[in-house]
Amino acid sequence: MNFCNCYKGKKVLITGHTGFKGSWLAIWLKYLGADVYGYALPPNSEQDNFVSCNLKDEINHFEGDVRDGEKLKEYFKQIQPEFAFHLAAQPLVLYSYQNPVSTFETNLMGTVNFFEAVRQTSSVKVAINVTSDKCYDNKEWVWGYRENDPMGGKDPYSASKGCSELITASYINSFFKNDDSCLVASARAGNVIGGGDWAMDRILPDYFRSVKDNKKLLLRNPYSTRPWQHVLEPLSGYLHLGSTLLLKGRSFIGGWNFGPIDTNNYSVKDLIDKILLKDNKGGYIIPDQIEKLHEAVLLKLDVSKAVNLLNWEPVLNFDETVSFTVSGYQDDLYHTDNILDQRIKQIKLYTFKAKEKSIIWAT
């Protein structure tokens, strides 16, 4: 009875369900017995997790842009969901340099439109806005950022995520603070990896594309440190947060960090070296010098609030995180006829490991 059986038979609406995390969330919710509805742009490619898992035929799929507020509100009105998860976003740092206007339009007004739709749909009991660890004003210090640290962002993507958090806080204080009929929170996660992610300018998709093409990967930021976590880790946090809000109420509204334990902060090079130990088909080159746009070198999250107040904690260590990830990409590359079944197997294995650790949401 995972997540206190809160999602079984319930209508759950996901914006951005065609994206990497959104598609995995849709799979997990379907596995939990939820009636899943998705509102998103079409997937980017035939390799995307949404396509390879044939989710168009597995859930209620609707194509729409979160920048179209009226269309989004109409979809909420039609579906009357009980849970709403907002994952629709422009998710890439480098793309945000090339397209800052559309990044801000999607990540700011998309958030506003989501909360306007929630506000006008009385059926919604829980609404969660999923942002990013990059929402914080990153000083690149050695300490993890806590939920009450200032928002910020030097690049357009990071700034847009900081703004999305400010929008969430504004809606909570202006419209939801004294309204127990709908409970609102935000969820901030670190660098998420796993099978099914084939976006451009991300280290793991770039690596496995190079493997597929029998080329060596050019490591753009080999010594940048990130809080790597398998996609199921933050999703367990989002789902646990949603069920806790429903069952325990407003003391759990607001912002929450979901990331790995501090010892899972490894460099890009460390990550690829670990992958090569498990899947030695690729390789990489570190350039002597490369001109690049600003990207954070050091970024950590402090997950103490989630651990102590939500009783949530990461399930996988770094070695298991890499193993789950490599297995997922091997499914993508070599087992293309049953990807959805393989994803569900990983969810079952992850849940089994959580039960072994007596983690509360899995019991």
Side-chain angles (χ1 to χ4, degrees), residues 145 147 257-261 301-308 312 314:
Y145 290 94
E147 287 82 352
N257 289 340
F258 297 103
I261 57 175
L301 288 180
D302 184 330
V303 297
S304 300
K305 181 182 174 185
V307 169
N308 292 303
W312 173 89

Side-chain angles (χ1 to χ4, degrees), residues 20 91-92 197 199-207 209 220:
F20 172 49
L92 301 172
D197 182 11
M200 299 302 295
D201 297 319
R202 280 184 179 157
I203 182 61
L204 267 297
D206 287 349
Y207 171 78
R209 269 191 291 266
R220 193 174 67 237

Side-chain angles (χ1 to χ4, degrees), residues 336-354:
T336 55
D337 56 337
N338 61 348
I339 298 296
L340 179 60
D341 290 342
Q342 298 303 116
R343 302 295 192 241
I344 292 172
K345 284 181 182 178
Q346 278 212 331
I347 290 170
K348 289 179 178 179
L349 178 58
Y350 178 80
T351 302
F352 175 76
K353 287 180 175 290

